[in-house]
């Protein structure tokens, strides 16, 4: 199973934006030095209390220049917010600059306010996503192409450079809402699960089964990657693993409740996406509930055991671990957790 560090470039009270960039790059370097297989970059917009990572492709270029081995992933690049031809150019360029270490995680984002900030209608996001992906793939795999869609039109375009990886960097699609699992399965791509709105991690089991069933029904064969973004915190003792991330974790749960509540009733949210019920479930959770069901915290031994369970239950091939759930874990604790994961968890899980 592949392990990669998820990095948000998170805001924290009393820290300057310049320090956020410096601290996050230090964490990424610690991940490379301790043997992490990958580094995955988030994408956030218009939320100064959460993150400064609004330009992940630019940051990925800096990561490529400062590292030698780690895979560099986007988790996820929000396609409908940008011109797809520009995305194709920038990602292909990044693939060359990273010497083929790029993974292209894509999605359309779960919350409408990002689209409002860019002047787009969230209800168009799925159709825009589909057109963007087709255009990007054709930009990479065809010498010249023309396209006439609902949102984008191009005539006899030659996009350069073409990616270093052939036919293109690995693509995986982010899934947060229930209806996305079936859709990604039908499309045939690897899936990148962000289970931020489920009550327990094992609630994902029927959704992953639905992904595989849809994939098989659509005629896609062979093995497929199933990746999970999950908060993982490892400490040398059970007591430290319990207490050190507690305040940050509960802060994040409340922040998630607020964001979900604010998006209730927004245009473009599918009828099956019951956000009011999701918010109520999250409100009822204590820290002990979160520890039991939503995150993976503990000593190296207990974390190995828990991740093995998730691997068996969900068929995971990839864990994207987040050591700063809630953005308030001190940097030195994050670095220590990353080192313990790479040195004492990952080797034992893959043995």
């Amino acid at each position: 199973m592949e392990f990669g560090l998820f990095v948000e470039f998170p805001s924290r009270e009393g820290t300057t934006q310049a320090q956020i960039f410096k601290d996050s790059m230090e964490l990424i370097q610690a991940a490379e030095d301790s043997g992490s297989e990958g580094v995955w970059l988030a994408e956030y917009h218009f939320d100064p209390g959460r993150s400064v990572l609004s330009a992940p492709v630019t940051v990925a270029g800096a990561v490529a220049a400062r590292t030698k081995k780690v895979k560099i992933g986007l988790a996820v690049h929000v396609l409908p917010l940008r011109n797809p031809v520009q995305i194709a150019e920038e990602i292909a360029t990044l693939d060359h600059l990273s010497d083929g270490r790029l993974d292209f995680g894509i999605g359309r984002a779960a919350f409408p306010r990002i689209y409002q900030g860019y002047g787009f209608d969230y209800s168009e996001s799925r159709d825009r996503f589909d057109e963007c992906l087709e255009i990007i793939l054709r930009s990479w795999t065809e010498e010249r192409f023309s396209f006439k869609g609902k949102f984008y039109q191009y005539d006899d375009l030659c996009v350069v450079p073409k990616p270093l990886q052939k036919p293109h960097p690995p693509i995986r699609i982010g899934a947060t809402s229930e209806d996305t699992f079936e859709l990604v399965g039908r499309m045939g791509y690897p899936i990148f699960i962000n289970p931020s709105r489920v009550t327990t991690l094992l609630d994902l089991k029927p959704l992953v089964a639905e992904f595989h069933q849809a994939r098989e029904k659509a005629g896609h064969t062979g093995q497929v990657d199933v990746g999970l973004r999950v908060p993982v915190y490892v400490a040398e003792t059970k007591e430290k693993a319990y207490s050190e991330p507690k305040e940050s974790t509960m802060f994040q749960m409340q922040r998630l409740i607020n964001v979900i509540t604010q998006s209730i009733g927004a245009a473009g949210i599918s009828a099956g996406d019951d956000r009011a019920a999701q918010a109520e479930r999250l409100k009822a959770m204590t820290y002990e509930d979160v520890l039991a069901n939503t995150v993976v915290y503990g000593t190296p031994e207990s974390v190995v055991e828990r991740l093995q369970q998730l691997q068996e239950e969900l068929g995971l091939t990839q864990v994207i671990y987040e050591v700063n759930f809630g953005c308030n874990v001190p940097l030195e604790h994050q670095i220590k957790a990353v080192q313990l994961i790479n040195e004492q968890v990952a080797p034992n899980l893959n043995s």
Side-chain angles (χ1 to χ4, degrees):
M1 187 155 67
E2 177 186 317
F3 279 77
L5 169 68
F6 181 77
V7 190
E8 292 186 309
F9 284 64
S11 300
R12 187 179 179 189
E13 190 173 348
T15 303
T16 65
Q17 292 183 351
Q19 190 65 43
I20 294 168
F21 281 101
K22 181 180 178 182
D23 289 351
S24 297
M25 293 303 288
E26 185 177 344
L27 182 64
I28 288 169
Q29 190 63 59
E32 161 108 335
D33 293 344
S34 59
S36 183
E37 294 173 84
V39 170
W40 293 80
L41 303 175
E43 178 176 336
Y44 292 99
H45 300 277
F46 318 121
D47 193 352
R50 176 68 183 268
S51 170
V52 297
L53 189 47
S54 60
V57 174
T58 302
V59 172
V63 173
R66 295 177 65 160
T67 59
K68 298 184 182 301
K69 297 180 181 179
V70 290
K71 175 187 293 184
I72 302 165
L74 302 177
V76 293
H77 201 45
V78 185
L79 295 193
L81 299 183
R82 300 177 184 83
N83 185 294
V85 168
Q86 183 181 10
I87 295 173
E89 293 172 333
E90 291 180 347
I91 296 301
T93 299
L94 181 56
D95 196 36
H96 282 276
L97 293 176
S98 67
D99 197 25
R101 289 186 283 141
L102 180 67
D103 258 32
F104 190 40
I106 56 177
R108 61 186 184 96
F111 299 108
R113 61 177 180 77
I114 298 173
Y115 285 79
Q116 294 165 0
Y118 272 90
F120 291 134
D121 185 345
Y122 185 71
S123 65
E124 299 174 347
S125 63
R126 179 151 286 166
D127 291 337
R128 283 187 179 272
F129 177 89
D130 292 343
E131 285 195 18
C132 282
L133 181 55
E134 181 179 348
I135 292 163
I136 291 166
L137 291 172
R138 293 186 64 184
S139 296
W140 288 343
T141 59
E142 299 178 21
E143 185 62 28
R144 291 181 173 275
F145 77 98
S146 298
F147 181 89
K148 186 172 179 61
K150 180 179 179 181
F151 303 103
Y152 308 99
Q153 293 83 37
Y154 302 101
D155 183 42
D156 194 30
L157 212 58
C158 177
V159 177
V160 292
K162 305 301 184 188
L164 177 63
Q165 299 179 80
K166 301 302 178 187
H168 50 70
I171 293 174
R172 59 198 70 240
I173 299 180
T176 300
S177 59
E178 292 186 10
D179 57 341
T180 309
F181 286 80
E182 189 273 338
L183 177 64
V184 177
R186 198 159 12 103
M187 295 173 73
Y189 286 100
I191 196 166
F192 181 94
I193 305 168
N194 176 15
S196 58
R197 290 183 280 134
V198 298
T199 306
T200 77
L201 288 169
L202 293 182
D203 286 343
L204 295 169
K205 187 174 181 179
L207 299 178
V208 174
E210 187 177 348
F211 160 74
H212 285 295
Q213 290 163 6
R215 189 171 180 273
E216 183 178 348
K217 186 176 180 181
H220 302 291
T221 59
Q223 297 297 312
V224 63
D225 282 339
V226 176
L228 175 70
R229 170 188 162 190
V230 59
V232 179
Y233 192 84
V234 182
E236 293 165 327
T237 68
K238 182 179 178 180
E239 292 73 23
K240 287 183 178 181
Y242 178 92
S243 62
E244 288 177 353
K246 180 178 181 180
E247 182 179 347
S248 183
T249 298
M250 295 312 290
F251 174 78
Q252 175 61 18
M253 296 302 290
Q254 185 56 55
R255 181 160 60 184
L256 182 58
I257 291 166
N258 294 341
V259 172
I260 293 172
T261 302
Q262 290 165 10
S263 68
I264 292 172
I269 304 283
S270 66
D273 192 348
D274 189 349
R275 299 195 174 205
Q278 293 163 8
E280 289 304 314
R281 286 198 301 269
L282 293 174
K283 285 178 184 177
M285 294 179 74
T286 65
Y287 185 50
E288 279 64 31
D289 293 330
V290 174
L291 290 175
N293 300 305
T294 306
V295 302
V296 181
Y297 293 174
T299 61
E301 296 77 15
S302 66
V303 168
V304 167
E305 184 178 346
R306 177 65 168 143
L307 290 177
Q308 283 176 333
Q309 180 192 15
L310 289 173
Q311 184 181 28
E312 292 167 5
E313 291 280 347
L314 303 177
L316 299 180
T317 61
Q318 183 182 50
V319 168
I320 310 303
Y321 60 88
E322 180 180 2
V323 295
N324 189 16
F325 192 52
C327 308
N328 286 296
V329 176
L331 179 62
E332 61 270 24
H333 290 170
Q334 295 178 54
I335 291 174
K336 184 63 176 177
V338 165
Q339 292 169 339
L340 288 170
I341 288 168
N342 289 320
E343 294 168 4
Q344 297 188 35
V345 173
N348 289 307
L349 200 66
N350 287 322
S351 60

